[in-house]
Structures are given as structure tokens and as C-alpha cells.
Amino acid sequence: MTALDIDFVRAQFPAFAEPSLQNQAFFENAGGSYACRQVIDRLTRFYTQRKVQPYAPYKASRLGGGEMDEARARLAALMGVATEELSFGPSTTQNTYVLAQAFRKFMKPGEAIIVTNQDHEANTGPWRRLAEEGIEIREWQIDPQTGHLDVAQLESLLDENVRLVCFPHCSNVVGEINPVPEITALAHAAGAFVCVDGVSYAPHGLPNVDDLGADIYLFSAYKTYGPHQGIMVIRKALGALLPNQAHYFNADTLYKRFTPAGPDHAQVAASAGMADYFEALAVQHGHAGTAAETGAFVHDLMRQHEITLLQPLLDAVKDRNDVRLLGPATAETRAPTVAIALNRPAEPVAAELSEYGIMAGGGDFYAVRALSAMGIDPNEGVLRMSFTHYTSQAEVAKLIEALDRVL
Ligand SMILES: Cc1ncc(COP(=O)(O)O)c(C=O)c1O
């Protein structure tokens, strides 16, 4: 496979040319990524030329509505699903909240949901609250040393009462990539649906949701080079079963069924810029093919670059006895989201790193359950260094050097 053209990539992100951000290496991408120029350009165009109520017959409105439809169609195609299976909501947290309301009505008391303690709170708290409705909540627990989710343990939790299994594609602090197709196959065999939080995975290459087999796949556009939106894939079969959460007259439109509020028109439209960017990357690297093939090509291109850069960072922290690396030390099995526990509050160390031109964060990152389960005080938190395919080798080297100074 061809190597990622990092100069081309960085030229697509205005932040890298922004004077106020010079000489600062960005390592808090799991919090929110830089936006690509394609998204920024579309957002500006929408606000200047198309900022009217969409789907009316006049030109500005037709163009605005058309651009919103285009965003859904092109992102869905890149992810191997039908256009109506992809919808936008204000955030992933809000999307799971609405889905939990739908499952509240769909499920009967005595039925069960499996949640993990590896998830960000967004894909666990709203489900756990359904205990108040008489739904049984079963917790699939991580290994307290490694943070690993063992599939064998899930098997022992599954039975005919389980309707739903909620888990992350990868955790935002452990970083390990969970075997989604294997987990999904087990859940389906037991008669349960799955809800996968892909927020920490999607920025490293959009997955093909059809191949994964997931019934629900969630991620956040603002961490995936786009505007501040949550994106949700709900497959048709499940979407038709769950009770409508939108206005009654929108019940037959799958992409409206689980998004009760009017969407942010400009941001939905600007999300088409994410597809522009992924397609531009494919063209730049000599690839041509269907949308799903383009999605897979760009995914592998990004992952390959990230894996090459990630291993030296893991090697630099894994054997130090003053820090504890969460998750695996092998780059192939994880996302480039590297959290380390320090036995002291992490936030001041992130502040020290900023003096060396490193932008990173310290805290619990809303993964309070995961940190607690691993014996880490959430008030001290972890130092998290997260990067993406647009990060350069020089920036990782700079981070490793800065870590040497502050640890
Ligand atoms: C793994 C994970 N899931 C869910 C969320 C919540 O996403 P949103 O901010 O879109 O609600 C986050 C945000 O940090 C996250 O990291």
C-alpha cells in the first residue's frame, strides 16, 4: 500500500497554516479534531449563500436542502449503508439518550441490556437508567489490570432475555480495538441487537458498518474532521421495530425517526465536506472505486500511517516505572489514543507539556467507570495523548522529548 502523503493531508487543514497555532503539536484529537478545509468552506458557503429554511422551492433553499441530503448520502455510501440509515443529531450523547427512550418503550420489564464499564459515559449511563423501568442491566467488566474486554465473559452474560449489547468500538482511554464482528455475531446468535460507540474509532478510518454487522453505530463528526454533530447509523430492521421518537407524521422516514429536534442545517450540509476530504485523499493516492471501496482504502491509508507513528510513542512509555500505560503496547491492536496514569493529578502535567509546545489533556475524559475499575482515581485522571493521520513523525518525536522532561 502507498504511504500517506502527509504534506497533502496537512494542506487540507487550515489549522496547520494558522499563525497562532504554529509550533504547537496537537495531541488532544480524541477530544475534538481540527476541521478540514472542505468542511469549513461548505460551512461558510452555507452561512453566506444558503442560510434559509431548506427544502422550499426557491433556489437558495433547494441548494441548502440538497446539500444536507448529499451529506447523508455520501457519508452513508462510504460506510456501506443505505442513505436513510444515517442520521444527524446534536451529539452522540444526545443520540444515545433518544435511543434509550426508544428501547424503554420497546423492551419489557425483566428483559436485559448488557453494558460495559469500558465505555465513555455516553454509551452506558442512558442504558443503565433503564433499570428504573424494571429492565435488568448486566455489566460486561474489563480486566482491572489491562482494561481488556474478554469476549468469553460476554458469552457467559448472554441469554434469551438480552435484547441489546452496548459496547465501544474502542475506548477513549484504553484505546484497544474491540472485535466488533465477533461480538456482534455472538449477540445476534443470542437474539440481541448491538449498539456500538464508534466515537473513538471513526476518526482513524470510517468503518464499513455493513461488514461490522452492527445494528447501531454512533460517532461524532467534530472528532472526525467535521462540524459539531453526532452521526448515527441505524439499520433498517431495527429502526422499523423501535418506536418512533419524532413527530408522528415523520414516523415513516427512518432518518427522522430518532432525531426529534430540527437539525442544525448548516452543519449537516457542511458534513458533506468530510466526504469531499476522504474522496480527495483517495484520488491523491491514485485510488478509484465505489464509495465503499474508497472508504476502505482511506481507512487503511490512515491506519497504516498511524500505526507507524504510534509504536515509538508506546515504546517510550510502556517500560517506564513511573507511569502506567492503559491498554495494549502494540500499535496494530489499538487506536493512537494513549492514556497514562501518573500516580498524581494529570492536568498539571498537561499544563507543563503546553510549555513545550504540546497540546494534550489530563482528566477522566468521562470514562470514570473505566478508570475506577482499573484502580485509577478519576480525580487524578490520566494524561491522554491522542493523534490522527494528520500528525507528523516530527510531532510525535517532539512529544516523546517533552514527556522525557515533564515525567
Ligand atoms: C468514546 C466516546 N463516546 C462518546 C462521546 C460523546 O460524544 P459527544 O460529545 O458527541 O456527545 C465521546 C466524547 O468525548 C467519546 O470520546
Side-chain angles (χ1 to χ4, degrees):
M1 166 151 225
T2 45
L4 184 77
D5 182 343
I6 188 75
D7 294 333
F8 173 80
V9 165
R10 289 167 78 93
Q12 311 309 305
F13 289 84
F16 290 116
E18 163 59 35
S20 64
L21 291 170
Q22 290 310 296
N23 299 318
Q24 297 190 61
F26 186 34
F27 283 96
E28 225 301 76
N29 290 279
S33 71
Y34 286 158
C36 60
R37 69 170 174 76
Q38 293 83 350
V39 165
I40 298 169
D41 290 350
R42 282 184 183 262
L43 197 57
T44 306
R45 183 177 64 183
F46 197 97
Y47 270 110
T48 51
Q49 299 176 23
R50 303 177 178 179
K51 183 66 188 70
V52 294
Q53 184 66 5
Y55 303 111
Y58 45 93
K59 188 173 173 202
S61 178
R62 271 194 289 110
L63 290 171
E67 193 175 12
M68 292 169 68
D69 293 344
E70 179 193 345
R72 281 189 305 103
R74 289 177 60 203
L75 288 170
L78 284 167
M79 299 179 78
V81 298
T83 302
E84 68 265 35
E85 292 177 312
L86 186 139
S87 53
F88 287 86
S91 67
T92 294
T93 305
Q94 203 144 324
N95 285 340
T96 48
Y97 191 90
V98 174
L99 288 169
Q101 294 309 306
F103 271 92
R104 185 167 70 89
K105 289 278 182 213
F106 173 62
M107 290 177 63
K108 292 193 275 300
E111 293 183 334
I113 294 181
I114 295 176
V115 295
T116 80
N117 60 355
Q118 195 191 52
D119 273 275
H120 179 283
E121 194 62 18
N123 192 36
T124 190
W127 304 115
R128 288 172 193 259
R129 278 192 206 152
L130 299 186
E132 293 158 17
E133 316 291 326
I135 288 164
E136 187 196 343
I137 305 299
R138 300 181 188 173
E139 190 179 62
W140 180 14
Q141 293 178 349
I142 54 176
D143 180 301
Q145 295 305 319
T146 62
H148 176 72
L149 274 176
D150 183 6
V151 174
Q153 218 212 350
L154 170 67
E155 281 188 87
S156 68
L157 293 173
L158 280 166
D159 63 26
E160 67 286 351
N161 285 331
V162 179
R163 288 285 152 274
L164 182 67
V165 181
C166 305
F167 64 97
H169 196 161
C170 83
S171 137
N172 66 337
V173 291
V174 178
E176 182 170 15
I177 298 165
N178 290 316
V180 179
E182 190 188 344
I183 296 168
T184 300
L186 277 175
H188 286 173
F193 294 106
V194 302
C195 175
V196 183
D197 177 351
V199 173
S200 282
Y201 186 88
H204 310 294
L206 291 183
N208 185 303
V209 176
D210 195 47
D211 290 348
L212 291 179
D215 305 290
I216 302 171
Y217 192 90
L218 306 148
F219 69 105
S220 300
Y222 73 95
K223 300 182 199 262
T224 315
Y225 324 117
H228 206 114
Q229 288 288 295
I231 298 182
M232 168 162 63
V233 170
I234 304 183
R235 303 315 301 273
K236 281 179 207 161
L238 175 61
L241 280 180
L242 290 176
N244 174 40
Q245 300 297 305
H247 297 311
Y248 71 92
F249 43 78
N250 285 332
D252 292 338
T253 309
L254 178 54
Y255 80 88
K256 292 183 178 171
R257 241 173 116 80
F258 304 103
T259 52
D264 184 320
H265 302 147
Q267 292 195 25
V268 172
S271 295
M274 295 160 67
D276 294 339
Y277 172 57
F278 295 134
E279 282 166 19
L281 262 186
V283 170
Q284 174 69 16
H285 293 82
H287 172 83
T290 63
E293 286 163 357
T294 296
F297 175 84
V298 171
H299 170 281
D300 293 352
L301 191 66
M302 289 177 167
R303 279 294 293 153
Q304 177 192 249
H305 175 82
E306 290 179 352
I307 288 168
T308 310
L309 266 58
L310 176 56
Q311 197 56 54
L313 176 60
L314 294 172
D315 291 343
V317 292
K318 72 173 199 267
D319 294 326
R320 291 185 71 112
N321 42 26
D322 52 351
V323 307
R324 174 178 170 197
L325 167 67
L326 307 198
T330 45
E332 285 82 5
T333 59
R334 64 177 298 153
T337 300
V338 180
I340 54 178
L342 309 170
N343 256 327
R344 58 185 159 127
E347 228 262 344
V349 181
E352 275 182 66
L353 278 176
S354 72
E355 289 165 27
Y356 294 98
I358 301 293
M359 299 190 270
D364 62 40
F365 302 101
Y366 283 19
V368 177
R369 294 175 201 272
L371 295 189
S372 302
M374 296 180 80
I376 298 162
D377 178 356
N379 293 316
E380 288 193 349
V382 285
L383 178 67
R384 188 174 72 175
M385 299 150 288
S386 54
F387 67 89
T388 81
H389 70 291
Y390 56 48
T391 305
S392 69
Q393 208 136 27
E395 286 173 324
V396 175
K398 178 173 163 155
L399 170 64
I400 292 172
E401 214 181 292
L403 278 174
D404 241 356
R405 289 170 199 263
V406 303
L407 291 179

